[in-house]
Amino acid sequence: MDSPALHEALHRLAANHRWTWAPSCRQLLFSLPGAAPTRHPVSVVSDLTSEQLDDLLGDGAFVESVSVEISDLDAVLADPVTPEIAYCSPEFGIDALVPQYAGGLGVLAGDHLKAASDRRLPLAGVGLFYRHGYFDQVIADGGQAEHYPTVDPVQLGAIDTGVVVSVPLPGRDVDARVWRIDVGRIPLLLLDTNLEANSEHDRGITDRLYGGDRHHRLDQEMVLGVGGARALASLGWLTPVHHLNEGHAGFIALELIDRVIEGGDLDAAIEQIRPGLVFTTHTPVPAGIDCFHRDLMIPYLEPWAERWAAPVEKLSALGHDPGDDSHFNMAALALRLASHANGVSKLHGEVSRGLFAGMGIGDQVTSITNGVHARTWVLPQIQSVFDDALGPEWADGDPAAWDRVSKIEDDRLAAIRYGASARLGELISARTGRALDPDALVIGFARRFAPYKRATLLLRDPDRLRHLLDDTTRPVHFVFAGKAHPQDDMGKALIAEVVGFSWSPAANERFTFLPGYDMESAGVLVAGADIWLNNPIRPREASGTSGEKAALNGGLNCSILDGWWAEMYDGANGWAISSSDEDDQELRDEAEATSVFDTLGSILEMYHGDRPSFHGRIRHAWRTLGPRVTAARMVRDYTTEVYDPALARTRS
Ligand SMILES: *Cc1c(COP(=O)(O)O)cnc(C)c1O
């Protein structure tokens, strides 16, 4: 290998995001000169000087690892196929260094692509490229402040496909460049309106994720849906199946209809696109569904109505919500046009059937429970132990592999947990200056600060909380993290309350708020916490996935029986917080807070008094949850229950 060949090889390894789930490749890239946890490897590799490359060439072991990684990458990329399934989402969480996600929906989408790559599915992702991503959270004056980074697509490995598509918006056409980000075998197409050809206003359409007003959001969703379909077609990928990850990309239907409509027969065109359109809903709360006021919506539908010589009312009726005449509802649109719809846990499926049947549009909602991508979310040291004791198939959720957990005996288990907490201790000390007592039971709580997630439930009973925090014989440390949507004042007030408590004397330096929740700190936190706490108002947590990440790392869930936990808790693989059926929210919060404290009391007793039983519970959790919480299982379910039938429908 000569110096240009080495440079080229390193660039290939950095630009394909397979490194986000190949620990050896990640380690290699992050050992390069100039590397830092906050720098995308593509930018590090671009800056390598010829002297540095020559030095690296002189290191035989290094060159050998590069060759090994390249052949692993080539094996992943072998036998390329044309995508048949387009997975459309407003956000994708591939890694903290690719800031194109806000939270759970995006992280799920990223995990879906990675598991699809592992499974060699003919799938492509479709989304938007946001120049300023979501936001970085800083804590200032006791509350959340937002900082928007500016990202250069090239510096994070995006490749310019050369394709520019045009999207009709009221009174003008807007251009969008199509970037491609490689996620193993999976191409992720991201549309970007920041082009000279567009007006200043339109250049800003893809500026921020979930920023701006309704108008702005509507512009974004038109670019995502219509532009997404055009991007796929321009690359020659006439994907027969389109999967809407939440309703945001629903306008893809406009372009798909446009391709098949003949003589203005809208109903016939809808029946033609229906077999290939599938939809996953992610919220059981009507207020969580994206909708646009009719007056705002009509001008966006008019160009299509004109093209098809159809009354615009007929188009706007596609998004009609019988409970709210004034809005165009994106879930209603998706449900009316798709041939399949599912929720993201069994309980959420049930709730969705009720919700949408009430709207008169969908009682055919099934469910596929969310999972997490094991090789992304399990700490590398724990992955090695699993590979050794269980065999590498553990990461695909193979039950036979997980049945071997008894091979991980108490000593090794204690070492795994110690290492994971120590890593969390380093992060806490770096970000807050606080220390984590190695003897403490670490209780983690990290999620979006939406009121239904009740981040402040424990603070309702300060005396009981203080009693836990002051107990020197059974030490505990709570670690909280999470962002509030920038326009959610209630969520921000909750953050301020948690931050305020964490710095009060009552917190005894054993209740810490970790600022800047992102995929990187999430990875450290879900692995380092011994107990993962979750106390939403049931049944508003559609699935939740952070608890699944914790479970794989040997953290035990202590949760209300909502989302994924409602179907996977078996009485011994974690703990259930009992939920109250009180109608009065105050009384309900009080009853459920009492249950949280009671449960934490028994957990602390077991942890500090009977560690073998605690370890037994971890092994039991691994055995029962390992086969069920992975994205490998989830994507397998999507393949057999959704993609294969949809592909068959589109062929007949
Ligand atoms: C996993 C993850 C989430 C989603 O977790 P929930 O349990 O659904 O709240 C959100 N944000 C980040 C950064 C994550 O890694």
Side-chain angles (χ1 to χ4, degrees):
M1 209 184 288
D2 60 8
S3 169
L6 177 65
H7 206 181
E8 165 65 24
L10 289 172
H11 184 80
R12 281 190 68 206
L13 294 178
N16 189 306
H17 292 80
R18 166 189 164 272
W19 60 261
T20 64
W21 75 98
S24 54
C25 189
R26 179 193 285 265
Q27 199 185 4
L28 182 143
L29 291 167
F30 284 83
S31 72
L32 292 172
T38 51
R39 272 189 93 183
H40 193 287
V42 161
S43 122
V44 175
V45 171
S46 323
D47 284 356
L48 288 175
T49 63
S50 41
E51 290 77 37
Q52 286 169 329
L53 284 162
D54 287 341
D55 279 353
L56 291 169
L57 269 179
D59 178 347
F62 177 82
V63 175
E64 174 57 25
S65 329
V66 172
S67 309
V68 169
E69 294 302 335
I70 285 286
S71 45
D72 286 357
L73 177 61
D74 284 339
V76 168
L77 300 178
D79 306 320
V81 293
T82 305
E84 296 180 355
I85 303 150
Y87 182 92
C88 313
S89 174
E91 43 170 317
F92 285 90
I94 307 296
D95 189 84
L97 296 178
V98 186
Q100 301 294 318
Y101 66 94
L105 185 74
V107 173
L108 181 82
D111 281 5
H112 195 101
L113 300 192
K114 294 174 184 182
S117 174
D118 295 340
R119 214 188 145 74
R120 308 179 80 77
L121 277 190
L123 183 141
V126 178
L128 298 177
F129 188 89
Y130 305 97
R131 288 282 164 160
H132 303 289
Y134 195 46
F135 66 90
D136 295 334
Q137 179 191 55
V138 282
I139 297 299
D141 298 332
Q144 169 176 297
E146 296 100 25
H147 173 252
Y148 285 87
T150 300
V151 287
D152 173 355
V154 173
Q155 293 298 314
L156 41 86
I159 293 145
D160 185 353
T161 61
V163 169
V164 173
V165 295
S166 157
V167 179
L169 292 182
R172 82 270 189 210
D173 287 330
V174 170
D175 284 351
R177 179 193 305 284
V178 183
W179 297 100
R180 193 188 83 228
I181 287 192
D182 291 327
V183 184
R185 286 174 71 77
I186 306 294
L188 166 58
L189 305 181
L190 298 175
L191 283 81
D192 173 8
T193 64
N194 185 16
L195 293 177
E196 300 249 326
N198 292 330
S199 69
E200 198 56 33
H201 172 271
D202 291 340
R203 289 181 70 154
I205 290 176
T206 52
D207 57 354
R208 291 175 179 188
L209 177 53
Y210 305 142
D213 57 10
R214 297 311 296 163
H215 204 123
H216 189 74
R217 181 73 71 85
L218 184 48
D219 284 345
Q220 289 188 332
E221 296 193 359
M222 280 285 167
V223 173
L224 173 61
V226 176
R230 292 185 177 180
L232 289 159
S234 301
L235 289 164
W237 301 343
L238 288 166
T239 42
V241 172
H242 297 90
H243 182 179
L244 306 178
N245 185 40
E246 194 52 283
H248 307 287
F251 295 127
I252 201 166
L254 295 171
E255 175 66 10
L256 299 179
I257 289 171
D258 195 63
R259 286 184 197 157
V260 297
I261 196 164
E262 280 170 27
D265 190 344
L266 184 60
D267 297 327
I270 289 174
E271 291 319 312
Q272 263 188 276
I273 70 157
R274 189 187 304 286
L277 198 62
V278 299
F279 170 52
T280 298
T281 171
H282 287 269
T283 172
V285 191
I289 298 175
D290 216 6
C291 50
F292 299 104
H293 197 275
R294 241 188 80 83
D295 296 346
L296 182 60
M297 196 64 218
I298 294 293
Y300 286 78
L301 295 175
E302 267 164 355
W304 302 92
E306 268 167 42
R307 279 171 73 87
W308 305 336
V312 75
E313 285 70 30
K314 194 160 175 179
L315 270 62
S316 87
L318 295 175
H320 180 234
D321 168 359
D324 176 3
D325 274 337
S326 59
H327 283 85
F328 185 97
N329 180 306
M330 295 303 283
L333 173 73
L335 284 162
R336 280 208 182 87
L337 302 186
S339 50
H340 164 91
N342 68 274
V344 290
S345 67
K346 287 204 169 77
L347 178 59
H348 178 231
E350 248 169 67
V351 173
S352 298
R353 282 190 287 280
L355 173 69
F356 295 125
M359 286 165 69
I361 35 179
D363 53 6
Q364 300 297 313
V365 185
T366 66
S367 70
I368 293 181
T369 305
N370 284 345
V372 297
H373 188 257
R375 297 247 178 228
T376 298
W377 291 107
V378 176
L379 282 192
Q381 306 86 301
I382 303 183
Q383 290 192 39
S384 314
V385 172
F386 285 168
D387 285 339
D388 177 51
L390 314 180
E393 303 79 21
W394 65 269
D396 302 323
D398 176 17
W402 286 104
D403 262 344
R404 294 190 273 270
V405 288
S406 54
K407 291 212 228 156
I408 305 174
E409 285 162 350
D410 280 354
D411 286 356
R412 204 142 55 134
L413 185 39
I416 285 178
R417 295 304 317 149
Y418 184 84
S421 300
R423 175 80 190 81
L424 175 59
E426 287 164 19
L427 182 71
I428 289 178
S429 130
R431 291 215 184 149
T432 70
R434 265 199 191 153
L436 200 56
D437 172 359
D439 292 329
L441 174 82
V442 179
I443 300 178
F445 179 105
R447 34 196 42 93
R448 186 161 52 87
F449 273 64
Y452 81 85
K453 302 213 189 206
R454 294 192 296 191
T456 55
L457 193 66
L458 286 168
L459 305 186
R460 288 184 64 89
D461 193 340
D463 289 339
R464 258 189 111 168
L465 181 55
R466 192 174 314 188
H467 184 74
L468 289 181
L469 296 168
D470 287 346
D471 186 343
T472 46
T473 56
R474 289 176 182 163
V476 65
H477 198 127
F478 290 88
V479 185
F480 276 56
K483 293 174 174 177
H485 187 283
Q487 288 155 7
D488 176 8
D489 290 334
M490 218 139 64
K492 286 184 168 183
L494 295 173
I495 290 191
E497 201 179 328
V498 169
V499 169
F501 180 80
S502 77
W503 290 109
S504 71
N508 197 20
E509 301 202 8
R510 290 181 179 274
F511 186 113
T512 301
F513 184 84
L514 187 69
Y517 188 51
D518 63 3
M519 284 179 74
E520 196 203 358
S521 52
V524 176
L525 191 48
V526 294
D530 300 303
I531 296 294
W532 196 251
L533 179 66
N534 182 33
N535 48 232
I537 300 174
R538 187 180 195 267
R540 295 193 207 172
E541 187 72 277
S543 169
T545 52
S546 54
E548 299 182 320
K549 300 168 194 165
L552 288 177
N553 282 287
L556 290 171
N557 281 270
C558 170
S559 169
I560 296 261
L561 290 173
D562 201 3
W564 74 281
W565 191 232
E567 71 200 67
M568 296 203 200
Y569 173 63
D570 73 352
N573 55 6
W575 284 269
I577 299 165
S578 40
S579 30
S580 137
D581 43 21
E582 265 299 340
D583 285 333
D584 182 296
Q585 192 57 47
E586 274 294 308
L587 293 175
R588 182 167 173 171
D589 287 353
E590 194 173 306
E592 295 182 4
T594 301
S595 174
V596 175
F597 280 111
D598 292 348
T599 314
L600 292 182
S602 28
I603 294 173
L604 278 159
E605 200 175 299
M606 184 190 282
Y607 184 79
H608 287 296
D610 181 6
R611 197 63 62 87
S613 291
F614 195 85
H615 285 163
R617 232 171 232 249
I618 295 176
R619 274 189 291 265
H620 179 67
W622 275 336
R623 190 179 297 112
T624 56
L625 300 175
R628 302 175 71 189
V629 300
T630 65
R633 188 274 308 149
M634 169 178 76
V635 166
R636 206 151 53 222
D637 289 351
Y638 273 102
T639 305
T640 56
E641 293 170 33
V642 185
Y643 298 150
D644 284 348
L647 285 166
R649 282 194 298 272
T650 60
R651 283 187 201 115
S652 63

